[in-house]
Amino acid sequence: MKKIIIQSQLGSYPIHIGYKTVLKHVSSVLTSLRLGPHFVIITSPTLSHLYGYKLRRHFSSSVKVDQILISDQEKDKNMDTVQKIISRLIKLKAHRKTCLVAFGGGVIGDITGFVASIYMRGVPFIAFPTTLLSQVDSSIGGKCGVNTQEGKNLVGSFYPPRAVFSECSFLKTLPQKHYRSGLAEVIKYAVIDNQKLWTILHAHPSQILKRIPSVLEKVITSCVLTKKKFIEEDEKDFSKRQILNFGHTIGHALEAHAAYRGITHGEAIAQGMYTATDLSLQRKLCRPKTAGGIRSLLKKYGFQKQPLPPNISSTIARDKKRENKAISWILIEELGKPQRVSIPQEVF
Ligand code: GLY
């Protein structure tokens, strides 16, 4: 098992990564962090059915563990769900020392972290990310929040977990569509920063697509180390961290445009990476060879370029990455050399 510490101004925390090696450490980590004695697991009915018993076994018998079931769909990542969880927490008599447990993918993690940040002005939370996307991205860095009708993640906080337990064997039951969604974020890290990951992704697509444990653990650890670099330098997302939004300018707009239905986050940001790559080439920022390499990696993992909806620019304009009348894009000069570029809204 690997342990990576994320340094945060709001409280540093460990990320534990491993294959069938992580859960056995839960009880001792929680004791050392002085968390408990009341935990509330927030998860989906499916995950509770598949792993609820297995997870609860790893909490000490001396603590009380409750559970709240919610939808794990992006369309339900909203204030209504937040309100429902808060009402249930009050009924469960959750207090300021109650520790929330996010057990699920990005949606569950984002909502749980957000509720933890506001319930009784802040209670601790820990995360068990169960999707590739949440293990490589959303469980790290303290961003949490919900969508509004106007756009994605428009309400939220920076609120780090007290610990993250990334058990890679949870990925065995993840539907392929959602596994590939996480792979889009993995490709993003390879393009913006991680040459070693780029080489692994090009060399071992079949092992990665088949979720071979040793490769999985290596890929997830590599992504976490890349993300760590960006968030430790710019935790509150004013400069360097924005590089992690490569592909997200279009990606978030596509998700909002589809009302968060029928398109995964990864599928959306893969399209966003195609558009950002095209823009980088049009503006002569990158060479055709660099653009070709990015497109070929996306194709290797099953992401084909699709036409963008005709009115997508008005959805982009509502995105929070907008600065006045310009849209902030992450473009690519070459692999490992991204650039933040502000482009007037009317150009796109
Ligand atoms: N997912 C981008 C970030 O955490 O900043």
Side-chain angles (χ1 to χ4, degrees):
M1 185 186 72
K2 304 258 178 5
K3 178 176 167 184
I4 298 169
I5 304 284
I6 304 291
Q7 306 292 347
S8 158
Q9 288 154 16
L10 306 161
S12 302
Y13 52 98
I15 314 237
H16 304 272
I17 306 166
Y19 195 90
K20 295 195 173 169
T21 50
V22 170
L23 296 188
K24 60 180 179 227
H25 296 282
V26 169
S27 181
S28 61
V29 172
L30 299 185
T31 307
S32 70
L33 292 171
R34 296 172 192 269
L35 293 171
H38 183 209
F39 294 87
V40 180
I41 300 174
I42 299 179
T43 191
S44 69
T46 309
L47 283 168
S48 174
H49 174 73
L50 285 173
Y51 298 114
Y53 172 72
K54 188 172 172 183
L55 181 66
R56 276 164 180 253
R57 264 193 311 142
H58 291 281
F59 285 78
S60 146
S61 55
S62 62
V63 303
K64 181 168 179 266
V65 183
D66 286 312
Q67 179 175 267
I68 298 177
L69 297 180
I70 61 168
S71 155
D72 60 1
Q73 301 300 302
E74 189 72 36
K75 70 175 175 55
D76 298 313
K77 196 178 96 172
N78 54 33
M79 291 303 277
D80 288 346
T81 307
V82 168
Q83 179 59 61
K84 277 182 201 143
I85 296 172
I86 289 174
S87 299
R88 285 274 289 125
L89 286 172
I90 293 167
K91 282 204 183 93
L92 290 169
K93 299 195 176 4
H95 48 79
R96 292 184 65 200
K97 285 200 166 168
T98 294
C99 179
L100 304 192
V101 180
F103 183 53
V107 170
I108 302 258
D110 281 7
I111 299 182
T112 305
F114 183 55
V115 171
S117 76
I118 57 173
Y119 184 70
M120 301 212 165
R121 297 199 178 86
V123 294
F125 89 105
I126 56 173
F128 291 82
T130 57
T131 61
L132 182 60
L133 194 137
S134 56
Q135 293 188 351
V136 299
D137 183 22
S138 59
S139 69
I140 314 147
K143 276 187 183 174
C144 52
V146 294
N147 307 324
T148 72
Q149 275 178 351
E150 291 79 12
K152 196 172 156 78
N153 297 334
L154 289 183
V155 177
S157 343
F158 285 95
Y159 195 73
R162 302 292 303 279
V164 178
F165 301 92
S166 277
E167 173 48 64
C168 308
S169 64
F170 286 140
L171 302 185
K172 275 194 306 189
T173 48
L174 187 65
Q176 188 66 358
K177 184 179 169 73
H178 295 291
Y179 181 67
R180 281 184 53 256
S181 177
L183 286 175
E185 292 284 0
V186 175
I187 292 171
K188 174 195 84 178
Y189 290 122
V191 173
I192 59 171
D193 183 69
N194 194 324
Q195 180 63 51
K196 201 170 129 200
L197 188 58
W198 174 268
T199 309
I200 297 175
L201 288 175
H202 266 295
H204 305 291
S206 74
Q207 288 187 40
I208 291 170
L209 286 164
K210 282 190 199 142
R211 315 178 196 187
I212 304 297
S214 56
V215 190
L216 261 186
E217 200 180 317
K218 204 186 278 178
V219 165
I220 292 166
T221 306
S222 192
C223 292
V224 171
L225 288 171
T226 291
K227 183 151 187 185
K228 174 179 160 74
K229 276 201 311 197
F230 284 85
I231 59 180
E232 286 185 348
E233 201 179 310
D234 173 33
E235 185 166 14
K236 290 282 178 74
D237 204 12
F238 289 117
S239 54
K240 183 168 173 158
R241 184 169 180 164
Q242 290 174 10
I243 298 292
L244 296 172
N245 278 330
F246 175 54
H248 287 59
T249 306
I250 288 284
H252 282 176
L254 283 174
E255 287 180 280
H257 189 82
Y260 309 106
R261 288 168 172 89
I263 183 165
T264 64
H265 179 64
E267 284 163 349
I269 69 152
Q271 294 310 315
M273 288 191 273
Y274 272 118
T275 309
T277 303
D278 291 349
L279 266 178
S280 307
L281 196 58
Q282 277 163 27
R283 296 174 79 87
K284 298 194 179 3
L285 258 182
C286 79
R287 289 172 302 147
K289 188 169 172 245
T290 308
I294 298 171
R295 291 180 189 134
S296 104
L297 193 57
L298 285 164
K299 282 201 192 107
K300 217 172 232 184
Y301 286 88
F303 297 107
Q304 303 297 334
K305 190 174 167 188
Q306 309 286 346
L308 294 174
N311 50 351
I312 195 72
S313 50
S314 58
T315 317
I316 297 173
R318 283 200 297 269
D319 192 85
K320 58 187 183 319
K321 285 179 290 301
R322 187 172 66 130
E323 289 158 12
N324 304 319
K325 287 216 154 153
I327 310 277
S328 173
W329 289 83
I330 308 305
L331 302 184
I332 297 295
E333 259 183 80
E334 52 188 89
L335 293 177
K337 228 173 158 196
Q339 219 185 71
R340 283 187 300 144
V341 179
S342 230
I343 301 180
Q345 195 179 309
E346 51 281 3
V347 168
F348 187 72

